Amino acid sequence: MKNDPGGAPVGTGAQNDVLVFIGSKQCFSDVLLRTIAGELDNSQAVRFDELSEFQNYIQWNPSPIGLVVVEAQQCQQDQELCKSILDTMASKHPSIRLAVAYWEADLDRLLSRRFSARMLDSARDIVQGYVPMNVGIDIWLSVIRLLICGGDYFPPEVVVRREALYREWDASKTEDAIPERTEVQAAQVANGARKNPLTKRETQVIEHVVGGMQNKEIARKLKLSEHTVKLHIHHIISKMSAKNRTEAAMRYMNLKGAAR
């Protein structure tokens, strides 16, 4: 990334929030960054090739950072630096939201036990979402908007693997070692994750849907925009494999009843 003599990032002009993308141009192209700046008001999109550049940036950057999206390969290539940045953000910049951008092939390694054993505790409280790169631009922008507005986004394929890892990691910390699991045990863990696929925020939203509230009422109750509530409901319907919000609410109640 280039800087001007005064140390300010060169991007789309003076804006309010900086949206930071860390990764290759193949992942975050100049065209994509210009599209983001054009579609999202009061935002400046900047890109860094490597995590080390971003680490230097946050030390002197005076502008508020609204969201950081890091390419999965960056996390994989330099795990120590990635963990250091995660810890720094959690302690010194808790208001910055962080998401991981991935292609389908990245998930096997990014959400593997070997990789996540070093990263899981650092990532658990600070990563607000996983951004799929193999979707249309409209959907992709909707995910970015959701994250900026304070929502979380965890696609179903991420939820299953992520929750299974959390269960394993929590168990391993209790035993002071990462236990080996049989294929049957691993399948049981994954199935357990599928029973509760919703994030905390999505659960709050569907609870209000069950209570008969409309989107506008839910937005006011949770202090969200109506657009964000609609996105949450869209994700809930997808995760619950439902046709509409009514069916999603019924399936949620069935799952809730089965868990008691």
Side-chain angles (χ1 to χ4, degrees):
M1 178 186 168
K2 296 180 180 179
N3 301 318
D4 66 19
V10 175
T12 58
Q15 304 288 342
N16 292 335
D17 288 330
V18 177
L19 308 182
V20 175
F21 297 87
I22 308 170
S24 65
K25 276 193 174 183
Q26 286 74 23
C27 187
F28 306 121
S29 67
D30 292 339
V31 173
L32 182 60
L33 265 61
R34 285 196 294 270
T35 301
I36 293 167
E39 292 288 333
L40 305 179
D41 295 335
N42 299 321
S43 295
Q44 174 189 4
V46 297
R47 184 183 67 81
F48 297 98
D49 291 320
E50 299 178 358
L51 283 165
S52 58
E53 295 179 7
F54 173 66
Q55 188 178 43
N56 293 331
Y57 175 73
I58 59 176
Q59 293 178 357
W60 55 258
N61 170 52
S63 303
I65 299 176
L67 175 67
V68 175
V69 182
V70 58
E71 184 180 7
Q73 290 186 6
Q74 292 289 321
C75 301
Q76 297 161 359
Q77 289 170 2
D78 197 335
Q79 295 183 30
E80 290 295 340
L81 179 57
C82 186
K83 186 178 187 304
S84 174
I85 291 175
L86 286 171
D87 291 339
T88 298
M89 289 177 65
S91 61
K92 297 182 179 180
H93 306 280
S95 62
I96 299 178
R97 299 181 61 75
L98 178 68
V100 178
Y102 71 93
W103 301 90
E104 186 64 30
D106 292 322
L107 289 182
D108 289 336
R109 187 174 179 185
L110 184 65
L111 295 177
S112 68
R113 187 174 63 187
R114 180 179 178 182
F115 176 79
S116 296
R118 300 166 61 84
M119 304 288 294
L120 208 54
D121 271 0
S122 296
R124 179 179 299 204
D125 295 326
I126 191 170
V127 175
Q128 278 83 28
Y130 286 75
V131 181
M133 297 302 296
N134 57 341
V135 295
I137 186 64
D138 290 343
I139 296 176
W140 193 87
L141 284 171
S142 294
V143 173
I144 296 298
R145 286 192 181 96
L146 173 62
L147 293 168
I148 293 173
C149 291
D152 303 328
Y153 184 75
F154 296 93
E157 66 269 21
V158 172
V159 171
V160 172
R161 303 189 205 193
R162 189 170 179 263
E163 292 305 316
L165 280 169
Y166 282 164
R167 291 169 187 264
E168 287 195 32
W169 184 236
D170 287 339
S172 73
K173 287 191 294 184
T174 301
E175 300 169 7
D176 198 29
I178 298 178
E180 292 295 329
R181 291 185 180 272
T182 65
E183 292 184 4
V184 173
Q185 288 173 320
Q188 290 172 341
V189 170
N191 287 334
R194 288 189 184 96
K195 292 180 180 179
N196 185 25
L198 304 183
T199 65
K200 181 179 178 180
R201 178 63 83 185
E202 289 167 349
T203 300
Q204 292 174 331
V205 170
I206 194 65
E207 286 279 3
H208 289 310
V209 171
V210 170
M213 284 189 179
Q214 298 301 312
N215 291 354
K216 186 178 296 186
E217 297 173 301
I218 297 172
R220 185 167 56 251
K221 182 74 174 179
L222 298 180
K223 297 181 180 180
L224 300 172
S225 70
E226 192 171 350
H227 175 73
T228 298
V229 172
K230 288 180 180 179
L231 283 175
H232 278 310
I233 292 177
H234 173 76
H235 298 148
I236 291 167
I237 291 172
S238 176
K239 288 182 180 182
M240 303 298 287
S241 299
K243 296 179 181 178
N244 50 50
R245 59 188 285 151
T246 302
E247 184 176 344
M250 292 177 63
R251 294 196 176 194
Y252 170 74
M253 290 303 294
N254 288 338
L255 289 176
K256 187 176 179 180
R260 291 175 178 173

